Amino acid sequence: QVNHIPMATDAPKCATKTLHVSTPTGEDIELSCEDETILQLKMRLQSSEQVPEKFRTAPTRALRLVFGTEVLPDDLHLSDPAGPKDGDQLSLIVSLAPCGIYKSEISEVGHGPAADNTWIIASADFTDHGDFTITMEESEITSDDEDEDYDPYENRAAWDHCYRGTVQMDGSDFRMTITSMERKGIFDDKLSHGDELLGKLGHNQVELQLPFAAGGCNSGPGPGLLWITLMQDISLEDRRPSGTKESL
């Protein structure tokens, strides 16, 4: 049975088209559309009792409308030539993987995860295409004499690293495969392209296994692979889907 959702009354006037939206639970929903955005279309779907509850109660930006194998961006207008045509079939799905920007909480000065007298600023940016960018800035207090020519990066007192790659989900756990990396400082690990880092998805947070370089001069578990919790940057939720993303 095909359920019909009428056209939005506040949609800009242009040529009307009919779209069909299917869900993983078997619903086939017919929509009359004018020049709405994909985000507006998702909001209209969520307002209908014909749509399963899990889609109506999920954050709007955590929903995806898929055309073929392409996730349609929220700001795409249905009148755009790149958008779906009259009679096309879309799929409605809920996200399953981290999406958005996550940042480390500011810890007490000198008590970083790697060791006493260390600091870390870390952020992870997960895109809705399954890519990630992780940046880390570490520093450590050492016993070195620091004159005007002192370079902390050459004396194991500071490290900057950036990792990019792709995410593969396994339930709420995920693997991050490194495809490129940039590092400044002295690193003892053998991390390279193709290596994997681990992660766990929680509510508005991720736990990540990251390569710490600090800790060699002070008491603590570092340097090495250590787990750290990053919290989602809620202030940026309007520019990114909230919390999760799908795997196609």
Side-chain angles (χ1 to χ4, degrees), residues 110 116-119 139-144 146 156-157 217-218:
D116 291 338
N117 297 317
T118 66
W119 292 262
S139 60
E140 180 170 7
I141 295 176
T142 70
S143 58
D144 295 338
E146 302 181 14
R156 298 180 181 270
C217 297
N218 292 278

Side-chain angles (χ1 to χ4, degrees), residues 163-230:
Y163 306 94
R164 297 181 177 86
T166 57
V167 177
Q168 299 83 40
M169 295 301 298
D170 182 12
S172 61
D173 297 337
F174 55 93
R175 294 175 288 111
M176 300 174 289
T177 303
I178 298 171
T179 58
S180 67
M181 53 193 287
E182 301 170 14
R183 306 211 284 188
K184 180 180 180 181
I186 299 175
F187 295 82
D188 293 327
D189 63 52
K190 304 299 182 182
L191 201 65
S192 63
H193 301 172
D195 287 345
E196 293 182 345
L197 303 172
L198 303 180
K200 299 178 181 180
L201 178 62
H203 178 63
N204 291 332
Q205 68 178 42
V206 290
E207 295 180 59
L208 302 180
Q209 181 196 52
L210 300 181
F212 282 77
C217 297
N218 292 278
S219 176
L225 289 173
L226 302 174
W227 287 89
I228 183 174
T229 299
L230 306 185

Side-chain angles (χ1 to χ4, degrees), residues 127-140:
T127 75
D128 55 4
H129 297 292
D131 302 319
F132 73 85
T133 299
I134 294 173
T135 59
M136 302 173 64
E137 298 178 23
E138 295 184 78
S139 60
E140 180 170 7

Side-chain angles (χ1 to χ4, degrees), residues 55-152:
F55 297 101
R56 289 188 277 112
T57 57
T60 304
R61 291 185 180 275
L63 300 181
R64 301 290 185 273
L65 280 170
V66 182
F67 180 44
T69 59
E70 179 184 1
V71 177
L72 298 176
D74 282 348
D75 58 356
L76 176 70
H77 282 260
L78 294 178
S79 60
D80 191 302
K85 307 297 188 293
D86 183 46
D88 279 342
Q89 183 80 41
L90 309 180
S91 298
L92 180 66
I93 58 177
V94 181
S95 61
L96 297 175
C99 189
I101 295 178
Y102 298 77
K103 296 182 177 181
S104 58
E105 294 186 308
I106 299 175
S107 59
E108 184 178 352
V109 174
H111 294 277
D116 291 338
N117 297 317
T118 66
W119 292 262
I120 176 69
I121 299 174
S123 68
D125 187 353
F126 296 94
T127 75
D128 55 4
H129 297 292
D131 302 319
F132 73 85
T133 299
I134 294 173
T135 59
M136 302 173 64
E137 298 178 23
E138 295 184 78
S139 60
E140 180 170 7
I141 295 176
T142 70
S143 58
D144 295 338
D145 294 328
E146 302 181 14
D147 57 24
E148 61 181 14
D149 296 323
Y150 180 79
D151 184 348

